[in-house]
Amino acid sequence: MRDEIYQRELGWMELVARAFSVFFQNIKEILFVMLVVFLPVSLLDSIILTRLNAINSFLTTVQTAGTILENEKGITQALYQTISGSLLSMAIALFLVPVGTIAIAKMAKQRIDGEVPDVKTALKDALTLEPTIIVAGIISGVLTTLGMFIIIPGIWLSVFWALYLYCIGLGGRKDWDSLRHSGELVRGRWWRTLGYMIALSCIASLWDLVIAAILAFVEIGIGKHFIVVFIENFASYLSRAFAFIGMALLFINRESQYLGWQLFGEKKNEELNFAE
């Protein structure tokens, strides 16, 4: 596997196949990251989502009953809580989830390089990158969100910067440079990168659908209880772990071609440019 990833550019179907292999080889380490990082993240997500669902039910009831003026104060508080909850959810996605993402990516690279994955060191290294994650995450989040108002630029940026976390965690890039370098790795391969991302999302979604189908029977008995929301969130992060590995392999493969890395990741002195 390492020979192929470092020596030639792989198609996205080849990368998907190798992502499955690395995922199952690292499953114990991934489960450790799930417990340390994504368990508390899932709890926070579930609390926020449960509160937002309650607010939505309140607003729907008020609107249906036609008692908007009588509940003006409650509506104001509900809107405030919706905004604060949405911002907190965005902060979790930008600043906490990347720690687990980078840790999983580092272990994927260790596996490819023939090393035994060291989950504790990977997590420690990912935490030390938090300042860079925050700066790059804010820049990416703000510009992508602004771009979404025009739709096409937002979609273009989200794909163009899809590899910025891996540029930080595996490539040693900082702040804006991580976004710039992600763009360099995607340039000339935007559609190919989008297709690969869609393939990973579809595979992860299949896992989510299986979990949702199982939990549907539980919901019949207890409704959309907090524990149901939590299980859904936690399970979704396991499926996303597969996507994280898939994107890590894409980065490693693109980076090896860009930098002209030799086998085992040894850099050449000169950077090689991608053909447009």
Side-chain angles (χ1 to χ4, degrees):
M1 183 192 299
R2 60 185 182 182
D3 292 20
E4 294 176 325
I5 288 180
Y6 283 117
Q7 291 183 343
R8 68 180 178 89
E9 184 174 354
L10 300 179
W12 58 270
M13 286 299 292
E14 293 177 298
L15 285 168
V16 167
R18 284 150 187 78
F20 271 113
S21 176
V22 174
F23 177 81
F24 287 110
Q25 287 176 356
N26 282 8
I27 190 63
K28 290 182 180 180
E29 292 79 10
I30 290 171
L31 290 175
F32 185 87
V33 175
M34 291 290 298
L35 291 174
V36 173
V37 178
F38 294 118
L39 179 63
V41 165
S42 296
L43 283 171
L44 288 173
D45 281 341
S46 301
I47 292 171
I48 294 170
L49 186 58
T50 301
R51 182 173 296 178
L52 291 178
N53 286 338
I55 292 171
N56 185 60
S57 296
F58 165 73
L59 293 175
T60 300
T61 301
V62 169
Q63 184 179 12
T64 302
T67 56
I68 296 177
L69 294 177
E70 292 85 342
N71 291 279
E72 185 175 351
K73 184 177 180 180
I75 292 173
T76 301
Q77 292 178 341
L79 292 175
Y80 172 77
Q81 291 179 6
T82 298
I83 294 172
S84 60
S86 298
L87 290 174
L88 181 56
S89 182
M90 186 182 299
I92 291 171
L94 287 177
F95 310 138
L96 296 182
V97 173
V99 172
T101 303
I102 290 176
I104 290 173
K106 283 181 172 291
M107 292 188 295
K109 187 176 186 304
Q110 289 171 346
R111 180 70 66 179
I112 292 169
D113 289 341
E115 303 173 8
V116 177
D118 186 343
V119 61
K120 292 183 180 179
T121 300
L123 281 169
K124 181 180 178 181
D125 291 345
L127 283 171
T128 61
L129 295 171
E130 189 67 46
T132 299
I133 291 171
I134 291 174
V135 173
I138 290 174
I139 296 173
S140 173
V142 170
L143 294 182
T144 302
T145 300
L146 291 176
M148 284 299 179
F149 286 107
I150 316 177
I151 301 178
I152 294 177
I155 296 173
W156 180 79
L157 285 175
S158 64
V159 176
F160 210 58
W161 291 340
L163 297 173
Y164 87 90
L165 276 179
Y166 308 93
C167 292
I168 294 172
L170 302 181
R173 304 282 175 165
K174 300 292 184 181
D175 306 331
W176 173 258
D177 186 44
S178 65
L179 299 169
R180 179 193 62 79
H181 189 56
S182 175
E184 290 176 340
L185 297 180
V186 172
R187 185 177 293 113
R189 292 159 170 77
W190 192 93
W191 286 105
R192 188 182 302 178
T193 304
L194 176 62
Y196 183 63
M197 292 169 64
I198 291 174
L200 291 177
S201 297
C202 289
I203 294 170
S205 296
L206 290 175
W207 166 257
D208 292 338
L209 286 174
V210 171
I211 297 300
I214 296 173
L215 291 176
F217 292 100
V218 178
E219 289 184 34
I220 293 174
I222 64 175
K224 198 71 173 181
H225 195 273
F226 172 81
I227 190 64
V228 175
V229 176
F230 168 71
I231 294 173
E232 285 180 342
N233 281 329
F234 188 67
S236 72
Y237 279 113
L238 182 59
S239 63
R240 288 164 68 179
F242 166 76
F244 298 155
I245 288 178
M247 293 301 290
L249 296 190
L250 178 65
F251 168 81
I252 294 168
N253 188 238
R254 295 270 179 93
E255 182 84 332
S256 67
Q257 306 305 305
Y258 181 86
L259 295 176
W261 280 13
Q262 298 291 332
L263 192 61
F264 310 120
E266 181 183 355
K267 290 184 181 178
K268 286 183 178 179
N269 293 326
E270 254 180 55
E271 291 192 355
L272 304 177
N273 292 324
F274 267 166
E276 289 294 332

